Every structure is written in structure tokens, then in C-alpha cells.
Amino acid sequence: QGLIWGVLGLGIYLTFRILNFPDMTTEGSFPLGGAVAVTAISLGWNPFLSTLLGMLSGALAGFLTGLLYTKGKMPTLLAGILVMTSCNSIMLMVMGRANLGLHDHKRIQDCFPFSIDLNSLLTGLITVVIVISVLIYFLYTNLGQAYIATGDNKDMAKSFGINTDWMEVMGLVVSNSLIALSGALVSQQDGYADVSKGIGVIVIGLASIIVGEVLYSTGLTLLERLIAIVIGSILYQFLISVVI
């Protein structure tokens, strides 16, 4: 669970830490990814394709938030809250009900020939490795550096000819696609999707970031910082389990 929730933390990190954008879309795109993925799987779709479809739905939610903020000139919190609220209606339309179970349909976690626990561990581990690898590659490209510069100093980035509006929209798209990916995997692991799954997930993502930063506070490379977020997510889930 910590590994899968770590993907949520990585998605939030892209907007909250790099872009300095408090994105409330998280609480809508997370359950939306799960709702779309579970609905597609229940209709007989391949679980990998269904998960990608869930990611796409999250990317669209982030895109709408970006448009409302950059073109509609709405405050960041209001733009995120509007999209988050509208996601509830979309989920009800997609699933046709407030929650939907997978029953005997094949999940991504069932694609490995091991025990249920080991399959879930492998799913989370492989996903985290792929996501971190892609993010590291992206953030060290010219486009990724322009994105980081936008978060560091928006006015300076504009002076260098960077389209900061496009950078912010792109960041929200990538961030919410990762958040939806986490939602899709969590819903498959739980065996159901629910419109209320997004309540409080932004706290879980922020806790993963903060715990990771407290443990490894200074002198981290970008790769080490991303790994620290995943470790923070695992420790947070462990602490929750101990409390329960």
C-alpha cells in the first residue's frame, strides 16, 4: 500500500513543491482514476489498458484545472475545487452508482503468478520504479528544466521566453495523471471503486512528502528526493497501521 500511495505523493510533489500550486483537483482525480479503471475492467477490458484509461481521465481533470487557472484567471484553490466537485458527477455517470466492485474480474495485481501479497508488492514496486525513472528523465530535459524554472521564479522564466501558462497546465496534467494512476491501482487492490475514495487523499500525499523531507532534509539530489517521498509514504502507512 505504501508503494502505491507513494505514486500519489510523487504526483502531488510535482505541483505542491515544484510548481508551488496547491492543487485541490487531487481529491477528484484520485477516485476518478479508480472509477474509470474499475468500470472498464468490469466491462471486460484489459486491466493495463483500463489503468491507462484511468490515468487519461486524471490528466483531463488536471487539464481543466489548468485552463480555469491560466485562461479563466481563477484562484488556484477555486479552480481545483470546481474540478474536484465536478468529478463526483462524472464518476456517478461513469459507474452508474456510488460504488462498483470488481468481483471476479482480473486486476493488474493478478497478472503475476505469486501470492496475492507478493503480487501487490511487485505491482507497487514496478510502478514506482517506472514512474520515478520517467520523472527523472523528464525533469532533466529542456522542457522539464523550463517547468522547474516556472515554479522557482515565474517572472524570470517569462523573461527567458518560457510560456509559463503552458508549463503550469502541463504540470497539472502530468501530476493528476499520476494521482489517477495511484487511484486506479488502489481501487484494484481494494477490489472496488467509490466516489468517496478521494476524501482526505491530499493529506496522505502531503504527509508522504513531509515525512520524507523530515527524514532526509538536506543535500538530496532529485532522484533521492523522489525516493524519499516513497519511503515517507511507506512509513506513513506503517504508522497508520500501528495506530489502528
Side-chain angles (χ1 to χ4, degrees), residues 33-43 50 95 100-102 184 187-188 191-193:
V36 171
V38 167
T39 301
I41 291 172
S42 65
L43 292 175
S50 300
M95 293 192 295
L100 181 65
L102 282 173
S187 293
Q188 289 178 66
Y192 72 98

Side-chain angles (χ1 to χ4, degrees), residues 121-169:
L121 178 63
L122 286 173
T123 301
L125 188 60
I126 292 171
T127 303
V128 164
V129 169
I130 292 174
V131 168
I132 289 180
S133 299
V134 171
L135 285 180
I136 288 295
Y137 174 79
F138 162 68
L139 291 174
Y140 278 110
T141 62
N142 289 335
L143 184 62
Q145 291 297 300
Y147 172 69
I148 293 174
T150 299
D152 285 341
N153 191 319
K154 191 173 180 179
D155 293 331
M156 182 193 71
K158 283 183 178 179
S159 70
F160 283 109
I162 297 172
N163 188 334
T164 55
D165 284 353
W166 162 240
M167 290 296 112
E168 288 170 330
V169 172

Side-chain angles (χ1 to χ4, degrees), residues 202-236:
I202 193 169
V203 176
I204 297 174
L206 290 175
S208 303
I209 296 171
I210 293 168
V211 171
E213 288 177 344
V214 168
L215 291 176
Y216 309 97
S217 55
T218 58
L220 293 183
T221 64
L222 181 59
L223 174 60
E224 291 168 342
R225 191 168 295 280
L226 296 180
I227 293 173
I229 293 171
V230 177
I231 294 173
S233 173
I234 295 171
L235 290 175
Y236 179 75

